[in-house]
Amino acid sequence: MTVDLNALAQNYAELARRAGRAECAGVVKGSGYGLGIEPVASALWQSGCRTFFVARPSEGQDLRQVLPRADIYVLDGLYPGQSAFYQRHSLRPVLTSIEDAREWARRTDKSAETSGCALHVDTGINRLGFALEEFRALLSDTGLVSNLSIRLVLSHLACADEPTHPMNERQLAAFWQVRQRLPDVPASLANSSGIFLDPRFHFDLVRPGIALFGGSPVAAGPNPMQPVASLKARILQVRSVRKGETVGYGATWTAKCDGLIAVAGAGYRDGIPRSLSSSPDRAPAKLSLNGYSCPVIGRVSMDMLAIDVSDVPSELARRGQEVEIFGTEVPIDSIASAAGTISYEVLTRIGDRAVRRYLAPASR
């Protein structure tokens, strides 16, 4: 897998431009969406990003070793009994409940360098976060609030990739109520897709994730982001098949005429969705071999998959050539759609057998 850190920097710059006056943070959970936390975070820092979000406190610990001066928020909240860990690594928990808040208020070290936190208020997605009633109850306890050192209040959009979805306006209205209760605290609502809604959603800080890494933040129209990751697999063998012969487990694909197939060294152990297997009920997923579109045939197995290369020139369809699974020629969103999933899952599931190669960002 090749990771183009210059494209990552370009995506950050574009998102920051669209965010206008709002600060553009970087969501780098899941080891930078599977691309590697150290090179990804370093490239974003070089691009001007100063605030980062991770999911787990252990991810925050790893990120702190890379970026000693960054503001790092932990989206999963405060793990019970772990206040000292957060403070030791200067991590800011995104508090999601009264229990979180009470425990954070009891921390022993309240110095400015280690004591910041955020509040996550749920405005309709019904995942983590204070319910609105619980948020109001929290603010009524002024003694508790005074011990929290609140640096940010945030919520998360459920349907931002669908600009006309009524949930967007409902959540925006609810979040304005939240913001009015803490007018002096920076506020954040927009994720990747939220940045592409109108500026009312931007507030003080935006939190792009998948858009940084090349996934499309809009449901319709061209992807405004540059591809960052390119996954390729080498051809292990090219072989002839005759009309009527089958390919792969279960004999699910039958040749309609004589042709050529290439077997590539990538399978579900490497994170390739097994749902990319061909089916008579839908159009096949298509990979790229030197610019030629090649349909996946048969079942994706643990370590390999097969593609039809009958229409590819023989000098290109040969052992050792690389097949692009996604990247500059096969958009990651198209391969995700063919697999019945989303680009987030495709990107983050790529296994450790895929060697990461990094293209350095342009110096500033």
Side-chain angles (χ1 to χ4, degrees), residues 46-355:
Q46 182 178 327
S47 299
C49 185
R50 295 295 180 264
T51 302
F52 295 81
F53 290 82
V54 296
R56 307 281 163 76
S58 59
E59 294 177 343
Q61 178 185 21
D62 293 339
L63 181 58
R64 178 58 68 203
Q65 294 174 9
V66 179
L67 299 178
R69 293 182 292 137
D71 293 334
I72 302 174
Y73 289 91
V74 180
L75 290 166
D76 278 5
L78 178 63
Y79 279 33
Q82 295 299 312
S83 293
F85 180 92
Y86 286 69
Q87 295 197 277
R88 186 160 60 250
H89 300 288
S90 298
L91 307 178
R92 297 178 178 179
V94 179
L95 306 180
T96 62
S97 67
I98 290 287
E99 290 81 3
D100 273 6
R102 288 172 178 162
E103 182 168 346
W104 187 244
R106 293 194 299 269
R107 67 198 182 284
T108 55
D109 181 2
K110 292 184 172 63
S111 60
E113 293 79 9
T114 64
S115 66
C117 73
L119 301 182
H120 185 166
V121 183
D122 178 62
T123 54
I125 195 172
N126 280 308
R127 298 194 310 179
L128 288 178
F130 287 87
L132 291 173
E133 298 79 6
E134 189 179 28
F135 173 68
R136 286 190 283 267
L138 170 72
L139 296 189
S140 68
D141 189 339
T142 55
L144 176 57
V145 170
S146 66
N147 280 307
L148 294 181
S149 187
I150 303 168
R151 304 293 181 86
L152 184 70
V153 59
L154 63 88
S155 191
H156 194 66
L157 294 166
C159 305
D161 60 338
E162 301 177 53
T164 61
H165 199 292
M167 176 68 88
N168 295 323
E169 292 295 334
R170 290 201 296 269
Q171 288 194 264
L172 179 63
F175 193 62
W176 269 113
Q177 295 181 33
V178 171
R179 175 64 183 277
Q180 289 168 1
R181 299 297 298 268
L182 291 172
D184 298 325
V185 176
S188 176
L189 178 61
N191 51 10
S192 287
S193 297
I195 295 172
F196 290 79
L197 300 176
D198 71 63
R200 294 177 300 140
F201 290 82
H202 293 169
F203 289 89
D204 303 298
L205 180 143
V206 298
R207 311 186 310 273
I210 191 63
L212 287 171
F213 306 107
S216 181
V218 293
N223 185 357
M225 313 315 298
Q226 299 294 318
V228 171
S230 178
L231 182 68
K232 297 181 178 180
R234 293 198 179 276
I235 293 177
L236 307 176
Q237 186 180 38
V238 177
R239 58 186 301 131
S240 300
V241 292
R242 297 196 176 277
K243 180 180 179 179
E245 290 185 333
T246 61
V247 173
Y249 286 118
T252 58
W253 184 87
T254 303
K256 296 180 180 179
C257 59
D258 294 352
L260 289 175
I261 67 167
V263 179
Y268 54 76
R269 169 60 180 84
D270 305 294
I272 310 303
R274 191 169 180 269
S275 53
L276 287 179
S277 303
S278 62
S279 168
D281 302 326
R282 64 176 187 273
K286 293 184 178 180
L287 311 186
S288 179
L289 175 57
N290 287 285
Y292 287 84
S293 183
C294 303
V296 175
I297 59 175
R299 288 182 181 170
V300 175
S301 55
M302 181 182 289
D303 309 298
M304 62 191 74
L305 55 82
I307 58 175
D308 187 343
V309 294
S310 301
D311 297 329
V312 180
S314 58
E315 66 271 17
L316 299 179
R318 55 185 173 81
R319 175 175 171 267
Q321 290 285 86
E322 290 183 333
V323 177
E324 182 181 278
I325 298 167
F326 61 79
T328 57
E329 297 176 3
V330 182
I332 190 171
D333 291 286
S334 71
I335 209 69
S337 178
T341 184
I342 55 177
S343 56
Y344 300 73
E345 183 176 7
V346 171
L347 197 59
T348 59
R349 287 183 59 181
I350 301 305
D352 53 9
R353 294 199 302 192
V355 178

